[in-house]
Amino acid sequence: PPRNAGRAPGPPDGGWGWAVVFGAFVSIGFAYAFPKGLAIFFKEIQDFFGTSYSEVAWISSIMLATTYGAGPISSILVNRYGSRPVVMFGGLLCGVGMISAAFCTSILQLYICVGFITGFGLALNLQPSVIIIGKYFLKRRPIANGLAMAGSPVMLCTLAPLNQFLFDNFGWRGSFLILGGILLNCCVAGALFRPIGAAPASAKTQVNEEGKDALKGKVTEDAMEMNVPMENKTEEEGEKDCFEKINQYLDFSLFKHRGFLIYLIGNVLMFLGFFAPIVFLAPYAKHTGIDEYSAAFLLSILAIVDMVARPATGIIANSRWVRPRIQYFFSFSIAFNGTCHLLCPLASNYMGLVVYSIFFGLAFGMVCAMLFETLMDLVGAARFTSAVGLVTIAECCTILLGPPIGGILIDTFGDYKYMFIKCGAVMVLAGTFLFIMNYYNYRMLAKEEKERKRKEEDPKSVKTENEGKNNWNKDTTQDGPELEPLREKQEEVKKEINGT
């Protein structure tokens, strides 16, 4: 067969890839912006059901946690069926969840419909959209990721005033019905995700499987002829096949990858304070006496700055100065984000909140534009699908706890500033951790690369080292004191054989 038979073609870095970027722009935009845009309805839902800040905050928390926690399921479905059907099914789930939420009569029902059903639909939109960009782009991947991630601020900029308009005219129930219909556009975005790959791969796999089955049958027949029991072997093979199938979809060997573990720990810590400020920004503005439309406009300001920051960050990250050390840039972005939150309590009026929203939008866009690009830089495109699934399932715990902890602080102290200080301190700590550990990782990688080159340039030393080990083993085997009785026995046997 030809050398390239069954292999997927290289990333085209353009062409239909830009249509895929547009589809990812829509899907990622809804996945990230929708939970934040719902904050417009929180004050009214709180009054309607008579609940506290922390109880209402669980709606966004459950949605975000489900979106991230269902990452492995989404990755497995993408590996099994491809990105297109998964995104289209996710869009259908989003629409069903929001339409069902319009008829809820308790806060618990909202947790199920908005939190779990819509959140799971958004998970099926987010992961495939990120994964398919890595298949269509290589050289321009940071730019493509930046453009696709810009969907979040664009959607947030649109949803914030739209949600306020819908609420004023239709109430929160009517708004949820309309939003459910809008989310069905994710199905259209998913239809753009044309699969990229080679068809002969399936035929080749089928031939290999047939060969394996035939070989397994031959071994079984031979074992039966020789009266060899096969029960234990079958059980072991079954366990091995099961593990191989799981590992095929989720590569657990990534937990031995030093860079992946550093990224995972830093991100889990970061998400404890990442989403809470944006969820409580509009309620905070209303709490200080700002009118509803001005409070919603703060989210629009944040989104407009975020919209510019993401593609710009993608271009900067793609430059030859930043891309080799993109992990440092990512660490700085996280620490910068946390610094903005620490300074937020100094904003005592509306103009102060506008300035905070501008800097928050810039920092937020920088982090989101590099969130998945830095992961792909660490593990490579081949293991990226599994890496996304494993990272999101680990992050969902802190994403789930972040906004409710902020709500508890607000309920306890009656002031929002403690929530912003908590989020800022956590993110500064996460950025500092990532910076220090990435410095260590780069040093270790350089040392390992230097050692590898030294061994390649001096093969004699490797050969001498191996010979030394063999000689040492030989000497210890021959001259070891523990083998003295065995040698005496061998001498006696030899004498008897010679005599005979």
Side-chain angles (χ1 to χ4, degrees):
R3 184 175 296 178
N4 294 327
R7 294 185 182 179
D13 272 307
W16 186 257
W18 297 116
V20 172
V21 169
F22 176 73
F25 175 91
V26 175
S27 298
I28 292 173
F30 279 120
Y32 276 121
F34 197 77
K36 305 162 196 168
L38 286 181
I40 299 296
F41 303 103
F42 281 1
K43 186 68 177 173
E44 287 70 28
I45 292 175
Q46 180 185 353
D47 295 338
F48 185 86
F49 291 110
T51 57
S52 63
Y53 277 107
S54 57
E55 288 176 323
V56 173
W58 277 104
I59 298 174
S60 286
S61 292
I62 293 172
M63 183 186 289
L64 287 166
T66 306
T67 301
Y68 278 78
I73 300 174
S74 182
S75 297
I76 290 171
L77 291 175
V78 170
N79 283 331
R80 182 68 180 84
Y81 300 105
S83 294
R84 177 186 279 175
V86 174
V87 174
M88 295 177 74
F89 179 65
L92 185 62
L93 274 181
C94 291
V96 170
M98 288 305 297
I99 291 170
S100 302
F103 302 97
C104 291
T105 56
S106 68
I107 194 75
L108 180 61
Q109 293 175 0
L110 283 178
Y111 292 162
I112 296 171
C113 294
V114 179
F116 289 109
I117 298 177
T118 306
F120 185 64
L122 294 177
L124 299 184
N125 275 271
L126 176 61
Q127 313 290 358
S129 303
V130 174
I131 290 166
I132 199 167
I133 289 176
K135 295 181 179 179
Y136 269 91
F137 291 90
L138 180 62
K139 294 180 180 178
R140 300 176 181 174
R141 194 178 64 216
I143 298 174
N145 272 323
L147 291 172
M149 288 293 180
S152 174
V154 171
M155 291 296 176
L156 183 59
C157 180
T158 308
L159 284 174
L162 175 65
N163 286 349
Q164 190 64 53
F165 173 79
L166 291 175
F167 174 76
D168 291 341
N169 289 276
F170 305 102
W172 68 269
R173 294 187 185 276
S175 302
F176 280 12
L177 272 174
I178 297 170
L179 290 173
I182 292 173
L183 282 173
L184 291 174
N185 284 287
C186 293
C187 300
V188 182
L192 296 173
F193 292 171
R194 190 167 67 193
I196 179 172
S202 58
K204 186 177 178 181
T205 306
Q206 186 177 357
V207 172
N208 290 337
E209 291 296 330
E210 290 175 358
K212 287 180 182 178
D213 294 339
L215 181 61
K216 191 179 290 186
K218 184 72 171 64
V219 171
T220 307
E221 291 174 4
D222 294 343
M224 290 176 67
E225 290 175 3
M226 298 172 65
N227 296 324
V228 177
M230 292 292 293
E231 293 180 1
N232 294 334
K233 291 184 178 181
T234 306
E235 290 177 2
E236 290 176 2
E237 288 177 0
E239 292 176 1
K240 187 177 180 182
D241 290 343
C242 181
F243 179 76
E244 286 178 352
K245 285 180 180 178
I246 296 173
N247 203 52
Q248 179 184 357
Y249 296 118
L250 289 174
D251 187 4
F252 289 100
S253 65
L254 284 165
F255 287 108
K256 298 179 181 179
H257 192 290
R258 184 174 58 243
F260 174 77
L261 289 175
I262 292 170
Y263 177 91
L264 181 64
I265 295 170
N267 275 262
V268 167
L269 183 61
M270 176 194 75
F271 275 108
L272 196 60
F274 191 61
F275 286 115
I278 202 168
V279 168
F280 287 107
L281 179 58
Y284 174 44
K286 294 179 183 178
H287 178 76
T288 57
I290 297 170
D291 63 276
E292 296 175 347
Y293 275 96
S294 298
F297 188 64
L298 289 174
L299 289 175
S300 298
I301 294 171
L302 185 151
I304 291 169
V305 178
D306 190 3
M307 194 188 313
V308 178
R310 296 196 190 202
T313 303
I315 294 171
I316 294 171
N318 199 42
S319 64
R320 59 189 177 92
W321 299 283
V322 177
R323 191 166 187 181
R325 292 292 183 268
I326 194 173
Q327 305 296 334
Y328 290 149
F329 193 30
F330 183 55
S331 307
F332 165 76
S333 303
I334 295 173
F336 176 49
N337 201 322
T339 305
C340 293
H341 301 327
L342 289 174
L343 297 176
C344 179
L346 299 178
S348 58
N349 53 24
Y350 185 69
M351 283 307 299
L353 288 176
V354 168
V355 173
Y356 164 72
S357 299
I358 291 171
F359 282 96
F360 182 22
L362 177 62
F364 193 84
M366 291 171 66
V367 173
C368 291
M370 292 184 293
L371 194 61
F372 294 108
E373 176 59 34
T374 48
L375 179 60
M376 193 177 292
D377 176 71
L378 287 169
V379 303
R383 307 171 78 185
F384 180 66
T385 305
S386 295
V388 171
L390 294 173
V391 164
T392 51
I393 190 65
E395 291 170 348
C396 73
C397 298
T398 50
I399 290 171
L400 179 67
L401 295 175
I405 290 174
I408 291 171
L409 290 174
I410 295 169
D411 291 331
T412 304
F413 297 101
D415 198 341
Y416 282 79
K417 68 178 182 180
Y418 298 102
M419 185 272 300
F420 284 104
I421 292 172
K422 183 270 296 183
C423 295
V426 166
M427 294 200 68
V428 169
L429 178 63
T432 306
F433 169 82
L434 283 172
F435 189 89
I436 295 172
M437 295 307 295
N438 282 317
Y439 174 75
Y440 166 76
N441 188 36
Y442 278 133
R443 288 287 301 272
M444 292 300 295
L445 289 173
K447 186 177 179 181
E448 291 165 1
E449 181 68 16
K450 186 177 179 181
E451 185 69 19
R452 186 184 64 81
K453 286 183 178 180
R454 187 185 66 80
K455 287 183 178 181
E456 288 179 354
E457 293 172 357
D458 191 12
K460 292 181 179 179
S461 62
V462 179
K463 185 177 179 181
T464 306
E465 184 181 347
N466 292 334
E467 288 177 354
K469 287 181 181 178
N470 294 333
N471 292 334
W472 183 84
N473 292 332
K474 187 176 179 181
D475 293 339
T476 53
T477 303
Q478 290 178 351
D479 301 332
E482 67 275 5
L483 297 180
E484 194 66 34
L486 181 61
R487 282 200 297 273
E488 292 176 359
K489 186 71 174 175
Q490 287 176 349
E491 290 294 331
E492 292 176 5
V493 173
K494 195 179 294 184
K495 289 177 183 179
E496 290 178 4
I497 292 174
N498 291 334
T500 304

